[in-house]
Short mmCIF file of all heavy atoms in Angstrom, two decimals:
data_model
loop_
_atom_site.label_atom_id
_atom_site.label_comp_id
_atom_site.label_asym_id
_atom_site.label_seq_id
_atom_site.Cartn_x
_atom_site.Cartn_y
_atom_site.Cartn_z
N PRO A 142 -6.57 20.28 10.67
CA PRO A 142 -7.10 20.41 9.33
C PRO A 142 -6.00 20.68 8.30
O PRO A 142 -4.99 21.29 8.60
CB PRO A 142 -8.06 21.60 9.42
CG PRO A 142 -7.50 22.44 10.54
CD PRO A 142 -6.91 21.45 11.52
N SER A 143 -6.26 20.21 7.07
CA SER A 143 -5.32 20.49 5.96
C SER A 143 -5.92 21.57 5.07
O SER A 143 -7.14 21.85 5.18
CB SER A 143 -5.10 19.21 5.15
OG SER A 143 -6.22 18.93 4.33
N ASP A 144 -5.11 22.11 4.17
CA ASP A 144 -5.67 23.02 3.18
C ASP A 144 -6.20 22.19 1.99
O ASP A 144 -6.17 20.99 2.05
CB ASP A 144 -4.64 24.08 2.77
CG ASP A 144 -3.40 23.49 2.07
OD1 ASP A 144 -3.48 22.33 1.58
OD2 ASP A 144 -2.38 24.18 1.99
N SER A 145 -6.65 22.86 0.96
CA SER A 145 -7.26 22.16 -0.16
C SER A 145 -6.29 21.27 -0.94
O SER A 145 -6.72 20.35 -1.67
CB SER A 145 -7.93 23.15 -1.12
OG SER A 145 -6.96 24.06 -1.60
N ASP A 146 -4.99 21.52 -0.78
CA ASP A 146 -3.98 20.67 -1.41
C ASP A 146 -3.57 19.50 -0.54
O ASP A 146 -2.74 18.69 -0.92
CB ASP A 146 -2.72 21.49 -1.76
CG ASP A 146 -2.95 22.40 -2.94
OD1 ASP A 146 -3.70 22.00 -3.85
OD2 ASP A 146 -2.35 23.50 -2.98
N GLY A 147 -4.17 19.41 0.65
CA GLY A 147 -3.81 18.34 1.58
C GLY A 147 -2.59 18.61 2.40
O GLY A 147 -2.00 17.68 3.00
N ILE A 148 -2.19 19.88 2.48
CA ILE A 148 -0.99 20.25 3.24
C ILE A 148 -1.36 20.74 4.64
O ILE A 148 -2.30 21.51 4.80
CB ILE A 148 -0.18 21.35 2.50
CG1 ILE A 148 0.30 20.83 1.13
CG2 ILE A 148 0.99 21.84 3.33
CD1 ILE A 148 0.95 21.86 0.26
N ILE A 149 -0.62 20.26 5.60
CA ILE A 149 -0.79 20.70 6.99
C ILE A 149 0.16 21.88 7.21
O ILE A 149 1.38 21.69 7.19
CB ILE A 149 -0.47 19.57 8.01
CG1 ILE A 149 -1.34 18.32 7.69
CG2 ILE A 149 -0.70 20.06 9.43
CD1 ILE A 149 -2.81 18.53 7.86
N GLN A 150 -0.38 23.06 7.39
CA GLN A 150 0.45 24.24 7.59
C GLN A 150 0.91 24.35 9.04
O GLN A 150 0.17 23.96 9.96
CB GLN A 150 -0.34 25.50 7.20
CG GLN A 150 -0.80 25.54 5.74
CD GLN A 150 0.38 25.64 4.77
OE1 GLN A 150 1.51 25.93 5.15
NE2 GLN A 150 0.09 25.41 3.49
N PRO A 151 2.12 24.83 9.29
CA PRO A 151 2.64 24.90 10.66
C PRO A 151 1.72 25.66 11.62
O PRO A 151 1.52 25.22 12.75
CB PRO A 151 3.97 25.64 10.47
CG PRO A 151 4.43 25.28 9.08
CD PRO A 151 3.15 25.20 8.27
N GLU A 152 1.11 26.76 11.13
CA GLU A 152 0.24 27.55 12.01
C GLU A 152 -1.01 26.77 12.36
O GLU A 152 -1.60 27.02 13.44
CB GLU A 152 -0.10 28.86 11.39
CG GLU A 152 -0.70 28.81 9.98
CD GLU A 152 0.30 28.86 8.85
OE1 GLU A 152 1.50 28.49 9.09
OE2 GLU A 152 -0.07 29.27 7.74
N ALA A 153 -1.43 25.86 11.51
CA ALA A 153 -2.61 25.03 11.84
C ALA A 153 -2.31 24.11 12.98
O ALA A 153 -3.20 23.74 13.78
CB ALA A 153 -3.05 24.22 10.60
N VAL A 154 -1.03 23.70 13.10
CA VAL A 154 -0.59 22.84 14.20
C VAL A 154 -0.47 23.63 15.49
O VAL A 154 -1.07 23.26 16.51
CB VAL A 154 0.75 22.15 13.87
CG1 VAL A 154 1.20 21.26 15.02
CG2 VAL A 154 0.66 21.37 12.58
N THR A 155 0.28 24.72 15.44
CA THR A 155 0.59 25.47 16.68
C THR A 155 -0.70 26.10 17.27
O THR A 155 -0.77 26.28 18.50
CB THR A 155 1.61 26.56 16.41
OG1 THR A 155 1.18 27.42 15.30
CG2 THR A 155 2.95 25.94 16.02
N SER A 156 -1.68 26.39 16.44
CA SER A 156 -2.90 27.01 16.96
C SER A 156 -3.70 26.05 17.85
O SER A 156 -4.57 26.49 18.60
CB SER A 156 -3.77 27.51 15.81
OG SER A 156 -4.28 26.40 15.06
N LEU A 157 -3.42 24.76 17.73
CA LEU A 157 -4.15 23.76 18.49
C LEU A 157 -3.42 23.24 19.71
O LEU A 157 -3.96 22.46 20.51
CB LEU A 157 -4.50 22.58 17.58
CG LEU A 157 -5.47 22.90 16.43
CD1 LEU A 157 -5.59 21.68 15.50
CD2 LEU A 157 -6.83 23.32 16.93
N ILE A 158 -2.12 23.64 19.87
CA ILE A 158 -1.35 23.14 21.02
C ILE A 158 -1.86 23.76 22.32
O ILE A 158 -2.02 24.98 22.44
CB ILE A 158 0.15 23.48 20.84
CG1 ILE A 158 0.69 22.73 19.63
CG2 ILE A 158 0.94 23.10 22.08
CD1 ILE A 158 2.14 23.05 19.30
N THR A 159 -2.09 22.93 23.31
CA THR A 159 -2.51 23.37 24.64
C THR A 159 -1.49 22.88 25.67
O THR A 159 -0.59 22.11 25.36
CB THR A 159 -3.91 22.83 24.98
OG1 THR A 159 -3.89 21.41 24.84
CG2 THR A 159 -4.96 23.40 24.03
N ASN A 160 -1.68 23.27 26.90
CA ASN A 160 -0.74 22.89 27.96
C ASN A 160 -0.69 21.39 28.18
O ASN A 160 0.32 20.87 28.69
CB ASN A 160 -1.09 23.59 29.26
CG ASN A 160 -0.81 25.09 29.20
OD1 ASN A 160 0.08 25.52 28.45
ND2 ASN A 160 -1.51 25.89 29.96
N ASP A 161 -1.78 20.69 27.85
CA ASP A 161 -1.80 19.24 28.08
C ASP A 161 -1.55 18.41 26.83
O ASP A 161 -1.75 17.20 26.81
CB ASP A 161 -3.12 18.81 28.75
CG ASP A 161 -4.31 18.91 27.79
OD1 ASP A 161 -4.21 19.56 26.74
OD2 ASP A 161 -5.39 18.33 28.13
N THR A 162 -1.09 19.06 25.73
CA THR A 162 -0.78 18.31 24.51
C THR A 162 0.51 17.54 24.70
O THR A 162 1.54 18.12 25.02
CB THR A 162 -0.64 19.27 23.29
OG1 THR A 162 -1.84 20.02 23.14
CG2 THR A 162 -0.37 18.47 22.01
N VAL A 163 0.43 16.21 24.48
CA VAL A 163 1.60 15.38 24.74
C VAL A 163 2.24 14.81 23.44
O VAL A 163 3.38 14.41 23.43
CB VAL A 163 1.28 14.20 25.71
CG1 VAL A 163 0.83 14.76 27.05
CG2 VAL A 163 0.21 13.30 25.12
N LEU A 164 1.43 14.75 22.39
CA LEU A 164 1.92 14.12 21.16
C LEU A 164 1.27 14.75 19.94
O LEU A 164 0.07 15.05 19.95
CB LEU A 164 1.62 12.60 21.17
CG LEU A 164 2.07 11.79 19.98
CD1 LEU A 164 3.58 11.72 19.86
CD2 LEU A 164 1.46 10.36 20.09
N ILE A 165 2.07 14.92 18.87
CA ILE A 165 1.60 15.43 17.61
C ILE A 165 2.04 14.49 16.51
O ILE A 165 3.20 14.11 16.41
CB ILE A 165 2.11 16.86 17.32
CG1 ILE A 165 1.65 17.83 18.42
CG2 ILE A 165 1.68 17.34 15.95
CD1 ILE A 165 2.32 19.19 18.35
N CYS A 166 1.11 14.03 15.66
CA CYS A 166 1.42 13.05 14.60
C CYS A 166 1.08 13.63 13.22
O CYS A 166 -0.10 13.99 12.96
CB CYS A 166 0.62 11.76 14.79
SG CYS A 166 0.91 10.92 16.35
N ILE A 167 2.09 13.73 12.37
CA ILE A 167 1.89 14.23 11.00
C ILE A 167 2.78 13.41 10.07
O ILE A 167 3.97 13.31 10.28
CB ILE A 167 2.22 15.73 10.89
CG1 ILE A 167 1.31 16.54 11.81
CG2 ILE A 167 2.08 16.21 9.43
CD1 ILE A 167 1.71 18.00 11.94
N MET A 168 2.19 12.84 9.00
CA MET A 168 2.97 12.03 8.07
C MET A 168 3.82 12.90 7.16
O MET A 168 3.49 14.06 6.87
CB MET A 168 2.03 11.14 7.26
CG MET A 168 1.12 11.86 6.31
SD MET A 168 -0.24 10.84 5.68
CE MET A 168 0.40 9.20 5.57
N ALA A 169 4.94 12.32 6.67
CA ALA A 169 5.86 13.09 5.80
C ALA A 169 5.34 13.17 4.38
O ALA A 169 5.42 14.23 3.72
CB ALA A 169 7.24 12.44 5.80
N VAL A 170 4.82 12.05 3.84
CA VAL A 170 4.24 12.01 2.49
C VAL A 170 2.94 11.25 2.56
O VAL A 170 2.88 10.14 3.11
CB VAL A 170 5.20 11.29 1.49
CG1 VAL A 170 4.52 11.08 0.14
CG2 VAL A 170 6.47 12.10 1.30
N ASN A 171 1.86 11.88 2.02
CA ASN A 171 0.57 11.21 2.05
C ASN A 171 0.52 10.05 1.09
O ASN A 171 0.95 10.15 -0.05
CB ASN A 171 -0.53 12.19 1.75
CG ASN A 171 -1.90 11.57 1.89
OD1 ASN A 171 -2.53 11.16 0.91
ND2 ASN A 171 -2.39 11.43 3.11
N ASN A 172 -0.04 8.93 1.54
CA ASN A 172 -0.04 7.69 0.77
C ASN A 172 -1.07 7.70 -0.36
O ASN A 172 -1.03 6.86 -1.26
CB ASN A 172 -0.31 6.51 1.70
CG ASN A 172 -1.59 6.69 2.48
OD1 ASN A 172 -1.70 7.61 3.28
ND2 ASN A 172 -2.56 5.79 2.30
N GLU A 173 -1.99 8.65 -0.37
CA GLU A 173 -2.99 8.73 -1.43
C GLU A 173 -2.74 9.82 -2.47
O GLU A 173 -2.90 9.62 -3.66
CB GLU A 173 -4.39 8.90 -0.81
CG GLU A 173 -4.85 7.70 -0.01
CD GLU A 173 -6.32 7.78 0.32
OE1 GLU A 173 -7.09 8.31 -0.49
OE2 GLU A 173 -6.72 7.28 1.41
N THR A 174 -2.34 10.99 -2.00
CA THR A 174 -2.14 12.15 -2.93
C THR A 174 -0.67 12.39 -3.24
O THR A 174 -0.39 13.10 -4.23
CB THR A 174 -2.74 13.43 -2.31
OG1 THR A 174 -2.00 13.78 -1.13
CG2 THR A 174 -4.21 13.23 -1.98
N GLY A 175 0.22 11.89 -2.38
CA GLY A 175 1.64 12.12 -2.61
C GLY A 175 2.13 13.46 -2.10
O GLY A 175 3.30 13.83 -2.29
N VAL A 176 1.23 14.25 -1.44
CA VAL A 176 1.66 15.54 -0.97
C VAL A 176 2.75 15.43 0.09
O VAL A 176 2.68 14.56 0.97
CB VAL A 176 0.46 16.35 -0.41
CG1 VAL A 176 -0.11 15.72 0.86
CG2 VAL A 176 0.82 17.82 -0.17
#
Side-chain angles (χ1 to χ4, degrees):
S143 75
D144 63 20
S145 59
D146 286 326
I148 297 174
I149 305 296
Q150 300 294 347
E152 55 269 25
V154 180
T155 55
S156 67
L157 295 174
I158 296 176
T159 55
N160 290 333
D161 70 345
T162 302
V163 298
L164 180 66
I165 299 171
C166 300
I167 299 170
M168 68 195 327
V170 172
N171 184 261
N172 55 299
E173 293 193 32
T174 65
V176 68

